Amino acid sequence: MWIADNWKDYAVLDCGAGKKVERWGDQILVRPDPQAIWPREAGCRAWDRPNAIYHRSNAGGGKWEIRKLPAQWAIGYGALTFQLKPMSFKHTGLFPEQAANWDFIDRTIRSAGRPIRVLNLFAYTGGATLAAAAAGASVCHVDASKGMVQWARENAASSGLADRPIRWIVDDCKKFVQREIRRGHRYDAIIMDPPSYGRGPSGETWKIEADVADFVALTMGVLSDDPLFVLISSYSTGLAPSVMAYLLGITVGRRCPGTIEAQELGLPVASTGLTLPCGSSARFVAAPRA
């Protein structure tokens, strides 16, 4: 498991009974978590006075119970700063377990010893984009949601990265990749965090189990002849890490030598010392050039 254990401004304080209690900077939130099927830790007092609780509805969706929570606040991860706010369907605008991938992105780009062009697809609020830009890469950030791209730009500004070479693109990821292939644009690293289900700006539908294999193959058309890495993440329980590793093996793995690893992502739990599983990722890293 790849564990995001370098956080100072975030922690899972406890989890159990289908929920987790987290510290986001100075704010304590309680949110659903279907993986936490064990009982709560009896002595954990963090559950008693949260700033907000997300209540899931039996009819689907849910809503926040705001007790004492600012409309927006910030937390940091290393040199990066992220703006947070309570969103629909329990989100805050950040997936903290992805910090394990941000660390991988940072060290891989810094050790490359050459300029690196990164394509970040389904890029959300820009965690991977900021990690790549801070490490010195030029980045193309693509997401179908105008609001998410604007939020990512705010995170870049908060992190002192507004002047870095980042292209901010609001578009359906598949259509954008198809256009980039026609334009002859190539990237040395590709990052993607596709949703389990989604819609593009023109109503395009996306279902990960049905669409991701063809999409990974399509992205090979924008991968440079001297790639650095390809990173895929997933929060779909129907897509095991080994499946994503196989997808990389039959695409980029057949194009150039390198290593492929796939693991669950996890967050340490302060009350128990256990690790809460939170999705998974697969990474292809090209073999060093001779």
Side-chain angles (χ1 to χ4, degrees):
M1 184 180 286
W2 290 320
I3 302 172
D5 55 4
N6 290 323
W7 278 101
K8 294 181 174 59
D9 282 0
Y10 171 85
V12 178
L13 302 176
D14 189 37
C15 55
K19 297 181 180 180
K20 58 188 172 186
V21 56
E22 309 158 286
R23 178 179 61 81
W24 300 79
D26 296 330
Q27 309 303 319
I28 305 299
L29 304 183
V30 173
R31 299 191 296 161
D33 195 303
Q35 299 284 359
I37 62 173
W38 47 84
R40 299 176 184 177
E41 192 68 14
C44 182
R45 310 313 305 171
W47 298 96
D48 297 342
R49 292 183 298 276
N51 297 91
I53 304 171
Y54 186 87
H55 297 285
R56 180 164 284 166
S57 168
N58 292 332
K63 65 179 181 179
W64 285 96
E65 176 193 344
I66 304 296
R67 296 182 175 180
K68 189 178 180 181
L69 187 72
Q72 183 168 310
W73 73 104
I75 65 172
Y77 184 79
L80 306 180
T81 299
F82 300 98
Q83 300 296 323
L84 306 177
K85 52 191 172 185
M87 299 169 59
S88 61
F89 197 64
K90 79 178 181 178
H91 297 313
T92 64
L94 196 67
F95 293 94
E97 62 275 6
Q98 284 292 334
N101 282 328
W102 305 339
D103 292 344
F104 160 79
I105 291 165
D106 180 88
R107 64 176 177 266
T108 306
I109 291 173
R110 290 184 189 276
S111 64
R114 58 187 172 100
I116 298 298
R117 296 159 297 175
V118 175
L119 176 60
N120 187 13
L121 300 164
F122 309 98
Y124 197 50
T125 58
T129 293
L130 302 192
S138 59
V139 187
C140 182
H141 173 110
V142 187
D143 196 277
S145 168
K146 183 178 180 180
M148 290 301 119
V149 173
Q150 179 58 37
W151 195 340
R153 295 181 71 125
E154 294 171 7
N155 286 335
S158 298
S159 301
L161 299 171
D163 61 345
R164 296 298 175 96
I166 304 173
R167 293 172 62 202
W168 304 102
I169 306 295
V170 179
D171 203 351
D172 175 75
C173 288
K174 181 179 179 180
K175 290 182 178 179
F176 178 79
V177 170
Q178 290 170 333
R179 281 196 294 273
E180 290 291 86
I181 291 171
R182 293 194 294 268
R183 294 168 182 147
H185 292 173
R186 299 292 181 266
Y187 299 87
D188 306 302
I190 297 174
I191 301 164
M192 66 181 80
D193 189 359
S196 297
Y197 178 83
R199 287 189 178 274
S202 300
E204 305 90 345
T205 59
W206 167 275
K207 296 182 70 173
I208 192 167
E209 288 87 355
D211 296 325
V212 71
D214 287 343
F215 185 76
V216 173
L218 177 68
T219 63
M220 295 300 101
V222 295
L223 191 65
S224 74
D225 293 332
D226 189 16
L228 182 63
F229 69 85
V230 178
L231 168 62
I232 307 175
S233 295
S234 171
Y235 289 90
S236 172
T237 56
L239 203 63
S242 57
V243 173
M244 293 188 291
Y246 185 70
L247 290 178
L248 291 180
I250 62 174
T251 52
V252 62
R254 290 179 178 174
R255 288 184 47 169
C256 58
T259 58
I260 298 172
E261 294 184 89
Q263 296 282 348
E264 287 183 295
L265 299 174
L267 289 164
V269 180
S271 62
T272 61
L274 299 176
T275 301
L276 178 66
C278 308
S280 56
S281 291
R283 305 166 180 169
F284 168 88
V285 181
R289 295 187 294 179

